[in-house]
Amino acid sequence: MTRALPLFAAGSLRLALTPLLNHFTQLTGIEVAAQYGPAGLLRERIEAGEPCALFASANREHPQHLLATGKATKTQTFTWNQLVLTTQKSGDWLDLLTDPALRIGTSTPGCDPSGDYTWALFDKLEQLQPGLGQQLRLRAIPLVGGRDTLSVPPGELASAWILRHGFADVFIGYAHYGKALSGQLDIRCVPIAPEHNIRCEYQLAVLENSAEVMALVEFILSHEGQAFLTSAGFLPLTSQS
């Protein structure tokens, strides 16, 4: 019996990769054992020597670091994302962020790229309104994606669960979750103006140069594989500016 390919993938990819990998296995007979988590913490596990054939990161920093240190042999951008506000409150995105009475939940910078992208958003908003970015950094509450942050129950979407349990009034996270949240009437996703939003680049890091790994990379990049990502709300690979 052949071993299953060990894949580490950012948690935000779970909804897209679960059906994608199932279909890949049906087509090729190649089994894949996926583990999901914050990409920064997954990179630490790779660097500590845990077996991983392919790493699907929510940013380019971690794959590029693995490439620079010789742990990865190739990197490849495979999809894009943006940020969105999730809330039960009314108002547009800037009203929500500038309301000092609202608690802002985020992922954890350093451990989770979603947190890093959120801090990059704060930097852009500092240019929009001097002082705003710094205020948001001080108000932001890293609730998930860290070593000792909240443990979201399996099957729950972090943003909705956080809001319903009163840990925050607004959560800044990935825009692709809007598709999964669209049927939940008590939760609304509020888009951030495109000129202020962040482009979130997802990259693969190839750690094992086997035919099976290359077949999986090729499938993820194929029209069929990309359809699973866009169906889950990710932006097409061809949408980069």
Side-chain angles (χ1 to χ4, degrees), residues 24 28 37 57 112 119 137 179 205 237:
F24 172 75
T28 65
S57 174
D112 188 338
W119 258 241
R137 283 174 179 259
K179 279 210 169 186
L237 181 58

Side-chain angles (χ1 to χ4, degrees), residues 114-143:
S114 177
D116 298 325
Y117 291 129
T118 299
W119 258 241
L121 172 67
F122 295 163
D123 289 341
K124 289 189 75 172
L125 296 182
E126 181 70 22
Q127 300 170 22
L128 174 67
Q129 291 186 18
L132 176 57
Q134 179 62 21
Q135 292 170 20
L136 291 171
R137 283 174 179 259
L138 293 173
R139 289 173 51 206
I141 310 167
L143 293 171

Side-chain angles (χ1 to χ4, degrees), residues 62-132:
H62 299 314
Q64 291 302 315
H65 181 83
L66 294 172
L67 184 67
T69 56
K71 293 189 179 296
T73 60
K74 178 183 178 181
T75 61
Q76 173 68 56
T77 299
F78 68 100
T79 196
W80 296 81
N81 209 341
Q82 290 185 298
L83 297 178
V84 74
L85 307 186
T86 309
T87 187
Q88 295 176 306
K89 305 293 184 180
S90 59
D92 69 15
W93 70 277
L94 194 54
D95 289 338
L96 291 165
L97 290 181
T98 55
D99 185 342
L102 299 183
R103 297 163 300 158
I104 300 172
T106 72
S107 291
T108 304
C111 297
D112 188 338
S114 177
D116 298 325
Y117 291 129
T118 299
W119 258 241
L121 172 67
F122 295 163
D123 289 341
K124 289 189 75 172
L125 296 182
E126 181 70 22
Q127 300 170 22
L128 174 67
Q129 291 186 18
L132 176 57

Side-chain angles (χ1 to χ4, degrees), residues 35-220:
Q35 296 188 54
Y36 297 94
L41 300 185
L42 293 176
R43 180 187 120 185
E44 290 180 3
R45 291 169 57 185
I46 292 169
E47 292 175 325
E50 285 195 45
C52 177
L54 183 66
F55 174 38
S57 174
N59 69 1
R60 70 189 319 273
E61 176 186 343
H62 299 314
Q64 291 302 315
H65 181 83
L66 294 172
L67 184 67
T69 56
K71 293 189 179 296
T73 60
K74 178 183 178 181
T75 61
Q76 173 68 56
T77 299
F78 68 100
T79 196
W80 296 81
N81 209 341
Q82 290 185 298
L83 297 178
V84 74
L85 307 186
T86 309
T87 187
Q88 295 176 306
K89 305 293 184 180
S90 59
D92 69 15
W93 70 277
L94 194 54
D95 289 338
L96 291 165
L97 290 181
T98 55
D99 185 342
L102 299 183
R103 297 163 300 158
I104 300 172
T106 72
S107 291
T108 304
C111 297
D112 188 338
S114 177
D116 298 325
Y117 291 129
T118 299
W119 258 241
L121 172 67
F122 295 163
D123 289 341
K124 289 189 75 172
L125 296 182
E126 181 70 22
Q127 300 170 22
L128 174 67
Q129 291 186 18
L132 176 57
Q134 179 62 21
Q135 292 170 20
L136 291 171
R137 283 174 179 259
L138 293 173
R139 289 173 51 206
I141 310 167
L143 293 171
V144 290
R147 293 177 178 82
D148 300 305
T149 48
L150 295 172
S151 180
V152 180
E156 294 277 1
L157 293 177
S159 57
W161 183 82
I162 284 168
L163 295 171
R164 288 177 180 141
H165 285 77
F167 293 110
D169 302 301
V170 178
F171 187 83
I172 306 175
Y174 290 124
H176 79 284
Y177 283 120
K179 279 210 169 186
L181 291 166
S182 61
Q184 304 191 34
L185 300 180
D186 62 324
I187 303 291
R188 57 190 290 260
C189 291
V190 182
I192 298 168
E195 63 270 26
H196 301 299
N197 211 329
I198 300 296
R199 299 281 291 177
C200 309
E201 183 178 1
Y202 282 58
Q203 276 200 353
L204 298 170
V206 175
L207 304 163
E208 177 187 297
N209 289 318
S210 66
E212 292 81 7
V213 170
M214 294 305 155
L216 177 53
V217 172
E218 183 178 342
F219 181 73
I220 292 171

